[in-house]
Amino acid sequence: MSQGSGAAHASHSVTRHQSDVIFGVVFIVLALIGPVLGLIFGKSTPNGSLITDAVRAGWYSLPLAIFGVIALSVRIRSPQDYYGGAILSAMALFALWACSDLPGMRGFAFGPGTAPRLFAYMLLGFGVAVALVGLLTDGPPSGDYSFSGPLGGAVLIVALIPITYYSNKIGRWIPGVPPDVMVAALGAAVVLALAFLLVRFAPRGPLFITSATLIFAITVRPIGLVLASFVSLMVSAYATDEHRWVETIIWAAVLTLFCSLLFPWGLNLPLQLWPRL
Amino acid sequence: MRLLTRLGLAAAFALAALPATAQDYPTKNITLIVPFAAGGPTDVISRIVGEHMSRTLGHQLIIENVVGAGGTTASTRAKRAAPDGYTLITGHMGTHAASVALYPKLQYDPRTDFEPIGLIAGTPILILAKKDFPAKDLKEFVAYVKANEKTLNNAHAGVGSVSFTTCLLLNSIMRVKPTTIPFNGTGPSMNALVGGQVDYMCDQIVNAVPQVKGGTIKAYAIATAERNPSLPDVPTTKEAGLPEYEASAWNALFAPKGTPKAALDKLTDALGKALDDEGVRKRLLDLGSDIPGANRRGPAALGALVKSEVDKWGKVIKEAGAEVN
Amino acid sequence: MDLISNLAQGFGVVFQFVDLKIAFLNITIPFPMNIFLCFVGAMVGTLIGVLPGIGPLATIAMLLPITFGLPPVGALIMLAGIYYGAQYGGSTTSILINIPGESSSVVTALDGHQMAKQGRAGPALAIAAIGSFIAGSFATVLVAALGVPLTAVALKFGPAEYFSLMVLGLVFAVVLARGSVLKALAMIMMGLLMSTVGSDIETGQSRLSFDIPELADGIGFVVVAMGVFGYAEIMRNLETTASREIVQTKITGLMPTMKDFKVAAPAIGRGTILGSTLGILPGGGAVIAAFAAYTFEKKMSKYPERFGHGVIEGVAAPESANNAAAQTSFIPLLTLGIPPNAVMALMVGAMTIHGIVPGPQVMTKQPELFWGLIASMWVGNLMLVVINLPLVGLWVRLLRVPYRMLFPAILIFCAIGVYSINNAPADAIMVAAFGLVGYWLVKHDFEPAPMLLGFVLGPLMEENLRRAMLIARGDPSTFLTRPISGVLLALAMLLLVLAFLPMIRKKRDEVFVEEPT
């Protein structure tokens, strides 16, 4: 069994066999909890019951089990292609589920659902084809962190969902603090905490670049451009473990100053610089 | 440690926002949200009037274009904005009247979620057709459309646009259901009309004047009570035989509900002054827009207009079954 | 000849001197106002083109109030300068940091950034500037001489023709790809699928947007391009040591060599012609022009497998094409008064505010405006070269900054830039998400360029397909019976077949697997 190629951070690499197993299990789990996810994220159709909605979502997620089972049982010759194709197929199935309630063609008029379904089916076809190629021809293993990178970042983004959903309640936790500042502070804190937690399993680059951008996004309106930029610049320094503190602070300050002059003043953009007081 | 610093910063900003004292309004620049792309009729009218109002109020009226969903995204944002008088919106017949019936999931009600400030200008609607449309005048046009409804194409600038809703009205008056061809905005739809790929369209005068004058398209009638000085040869629908068709895309200024009265009064006053200014009037009239007289200005008149328009277009849209979900 | 005298009149307008009173010195000096405004426009345009995120649309809208005090011709000259300045600036970021500023600069990033990584950023930037100038000059003459007849041709393009053109464009995207055709096709499909998110053009119904309001109008191009190209590139670069610079090899000179010029010259010529013709078509013309030019070069080349790894024709051709298209896109505006895209619509608005009503009669009733604008287009192109060639040295030096200091700067510019488009934090979040997507794509050896092209062409293709079907009452043969459409589809088929010929497939297989990073 060949070792997954190690990079500068060798402690993160898994063996090829291990990654196959992980992949297989994940896909089978996804296939089974598809109906559950569908119920959570789907909108309730006016004339469907809970059971039929779940069945509908399951219809689309069950095929993923096939990918998982194959990964567990057969030796995959080109994981890069196989995983790539499998995930593309998953995307296609997800899209198919998402547009399953859109009307199709009426007479000669294309309905809203026709084009998305068409594209989704074709993507499914190509995804399966790529996965097949990955099964039957030799190829390289998928690059390092090809899962942990995007997954880590995705966790950060997903973590913000409940915060925005309950933003009204969170805003009122500490009386006296403006609600949007409260939500922004909590959101930033959560994202950062998660990023530091996940850095053991996922590469720093995607994790902290995503964190920096997310933190910028949630803080730029409540606390203004200057502070949001500075904070997010500081966070982005963690994306590489070669940062030096003094240099980072100075550079972040310089960049913040430059941006604060360039965008609102130089380009006449209506951006709010400081917190709304 | 990071968390503490962050929470500390957040707590440091725990100053409750003081409401702006209305007496000194405005003390800083005002944002005017325009629900459509820059360069379009609503945007142009807003800029012309906004520039003059900036001078009266002493602070800049900054235009922010927020496009999307037929103008409803911008209106929703305006509804949720802080009602301190520093966010305004230029609504129009689509966003603040037709939208109620068109979008069942609409997140605002133009009758109750906004404070009307005043009507800005109206852009009358024209009935337009491609250059070689086989009809000499409006009566022949109606007859031809009725006879050939299966083969004719009616262009519009997208669901929720002025050209969409006004042609719904026209078609329902003529009792025809032609094939409607959607486009992404007035530019492409006008282009198709000039190129002869579609047969007819209802659109605002602002976009149509240069084409009609240049002879690239035909205008059969204007849907207002009087002829318009920029196109004096185009008869009104009343003169030409279709008096039931009256449509004008009015544009008006709104503020979020709860804006202090003192601010609203100042804005109404500034708007009125802008509409009386020679320079502004000339530019608006050159565009073919129709400037409201004293009896149509002001919050009361606007509020009444919104109510009646919501009802009028609501009926049209429901009859045509054109709701969007 | 009429043309010469008209052009002379135009140049007269551009070079006219205005008596400017300098109050505190109490003198009046003759001041070349219009040239000055042209220069300001080009400068500002280049600046915002270079900054990722904000585009000419937002800038022109922001600067519109400033133009109120200016005479109409001057105001228009300045705004036009911003437009093609931004076009050029977008190419700069494509080459330097792999972030396409506009959809038409996506193709420039393919070879341009590779050249930058090989220490040849200077020649890449320079040939982009020079190619753009040559193309722009030619296109300006075209606008002046053939404006009206070209408009008539453009008007013949109905929905069916557009659809076939888009199909041809997608086939280009397949040929463009440097790796596996199967994966390229999958990417195109992914791009097409992503482009359907938003509201349906016909019924207004929301598709694939999960009731998220920010997705109600679809995913923005800038968001996807910045994420999939720019952010992913940064994430990848950070996996190697960040003390290095972007450029690994020695920088070999700032200007293109004689050999470069010889190779690039025919590419510039072909790109110019393609760009000039396709730019007239309202909406989408410029994008297709850029990658039609690239694909054409690749097919004509003796070494197609080197495309995508840093060949100078791969920069020269699309750059010339998109600048030519930027100039000829003024044609429908000037002759018909119909804006072909959002930026032009803004220009119409600007004209209207200044009391000029654009339309078929502008050419005859206000010739000094028409010809003055045309003359200023040439002058503007000249200014772009004058401004940008010296800057090449500056940009190249920028690439020598240690990456750990460069990438936060890129990040914050991107974040602010994308936020400022709509004042929407959700946009920044989406960029982060697409960054992850792009990262994943690269890890699995999928190419982002075909996906982006599918994403850009998707809506155009779908809308026009539906419109054409509506107009033809459901008769699909309309695509083949209408002459222009039939020709385009035939070309597309031909190209597709050529792409699959065994001869070419063998060559592809030779360079199939790239080292995954």
Side-chain angles (χ1 to χ4, degrees), chain A residues 116-247:
Chain A
R117 270 198 282 271
L118 185 66
F119 296 145
Y121 275 122
M122 293 188 74
L123 180 63
L124 184 62
F126 284 119
V128 168
V130 171
L132 263 175
V133 166
L135 206 51
L136 303 171
T137 61
D138 277 319
S142 44
D144 296 327
Y145 319 120
S146 63
F147 286 132
S148 49
L151 214 56
V155 166
L156 295 175
I157 297 181
V158 165
L160 281 183
I161 295 182
I163 297 186
T164 38
Y165 198 63
Y166 292 110
S167 58
N168 281 332
K169 295 212 190 98
I170 297 178
R172 287 192 260 274
W173 275 0
I174 304 183
V177 174
D180 46 1
V181 175
M182 182 72 229
V183 173
L186 184 69
V190 166
V191 165
L192 262 186
L194 277 175
F196 280 113
L197 262 172
L198 289 172
V199 80
R200 251 175 294 209
F201 313 103
R204 311 184 130 246
L207 264 185
F208 284 101
I209 290 182
T210 311
S211 314
T213 317
L214 290 178
I215 292 180
F216 179 81
I218 43 185
T219 54
V220 71
R221 282 193 136 191
I223 67 174
L225 187 68
V226 175
L227 293 169
S229 309
F230 186 74
V231 170
S232 95
L233 279 169
M234 294 296 296
V235 171
S236 70
Y238 280 101
T240 163
D241 49 10
E242 297 171 24
H243 56 267
R244 305 167 208 159
W245 276 115
V246 179
E247 179 190 87

Side-chain angles (χ1 to χ4, degrees), chain B residues 185-207:
Chain B
T186 329
S189 58
M190 186 59 83
N191 212 16
L193 194 65
V194 171
Q197 285 134 23
V198 289
D199 298 296
Y200 71 98
M201 194 165 91
C202 313
D203 206 355
Q204 301 177 58
I205 191 172
V206 182
N207 308 313

Side-chain angles (χ1 to χ4, degrees), chain A:
Chain A
M1 230 84 67
S2 50
Q3 270 286 0
S5 50
H9 316 279
S11 55
H12 299 285
S13 63
V14 287
T15 63
R16 191 152 156 167
H17 180 69
Q18 281 177 327
S19 64
D20 284 356
V21 169
I22 297 178
F23 174 85
V25 168
V26 165
F27 258 62
I28 294 185
V29 166
L30 262 183
L32 295 174
I33 66 172
V36 174
L37 291 175
L39 285 176
I40 301 179
F41 290 110
K43 18 180 211 217
S44 52
T45 45
N47 45 4
S49 72
L50 223 57
I51 306 289
T52 53
D53 271 352
V55 169
R56 213 158 48 96
W59 221 189
Y60 292 103
S61 68
L62 239 33
L64 292 179
I66 305 179
F67 284 108
V69 167
I70 295 182
L72 285 177
S73 46
V74 177
R75 180 171 170 265
I76 300 171
R77 293 165 83 166
S78 172
Q80 192 183 50
D81 290 351
Y82 183 75
Y83 296 157
I87 294 187
L88 280 184
S89 309
M91 259 190 243
L93 285 169
F94 178 68
L96 276 174
W97 169 73
C99 55
S100 55
D101 55 348
L102 289 175
M105 297 196 67
R106 277 166 315 186
F108 53 75
F110 268 52
T114 315
R117 270 198 282 271
L118 185 66
F119 296 145
Y121 275 122
M122 293 188 74
L123 180 63
L124 184 62
F126 284 119
V128 168
V130 171
L132 263 175
V133 166
L135 206 51
L136 303 171
T137 61
D138 277 319
S142 44
D144 296 327
Y145 319 120
S146 63
F147 286 132
S148 49
L151 214 56
V155 166
L156 295 175
I157 297 181
V158 165
L160 281 183
I161 295 182
I163 297 186
T164 38
Y165 198 63
Y166 292 110
S167 58
N168 281 332
K169 295 212 190 98
I170 297 178
R172 287 192 260 274
W173 275 0
I174 304 183
V177 174
D180 46 1
V181 175
M182 182 72 229
V183 173
L186 184 69
V190 166
V191 165
L192 262 186
L194 277 175
F196 280 113
L197 262 172
L198 289 172
V199 80
R200 251 175 294 209
F201 313 103
R204 311 184 130 246
L207 264 185
F208 284 101
I209 290 182
T210 311
S211 314
T213 317
L214 290 178
I215 292 180
F216 179 81
I218 43 185
T219 54
V220 71
R221 282 193 136 191
I223 67 174
L225 187 68
V226 175
L227 293 169
S229 309
F230 186 74
V231 170
S232 95
L233 279 169
M234 294 296 296
V235 171
S236 70
Y238 280 101
T240 163
D241 49 10
E242 297 171 24
H243 56 267
R244 305 167 208 159
W245 276 115
V246 179
E247 179 190 87
T248 309
I249 296 185
I250 297 181
W251 186 229
V254 166
L255 279 179
T256 306
L257 183 67
F258 184 67
C259 289
S260 311
L261 290 175
L262 177 66
F263 287 91
W265 188 79
L267 292 175
N268 217 20
L269 287 170
L271 292 169
Q272 185 199 331
L273 282 178
W274 297 103
R276 275 192 287 253
L277 288 174

Side-chain angles (χ1 to χ4, degrees), chain C residues 314-353:
Chain C
V315 176
E319 275 309 299
S320 316
N322 75 21
N323 204 43
Q327 306 297 331
T328 51
S329 71
F330 275 86
I331 292 185
L333 176 69
L334 291 174
T335 53
L336 279 183
I338 298 180
N341 56 46
V343 181
M344 290 295 140
L346 196 45
M347 299 285 272
V348 169
M351 286 178 162
T352 322
I353 294 180

Side-chain angles (χ1 to χ4, degrees), chain B residues 68-69 150 182 197 211 287, chain C residues 155 217 336 346 352 463 467 473:
Chain B
K150 292 271 175 283
Q197 285 134 23
Q211 304 302 331
L287 292 175
Chain C
L155 281 178
D217 268 312
L336 279 183
L346 196 45
T352 322
E463 283 162 19
R467 262 177 229 144
R473 300 290 188 273

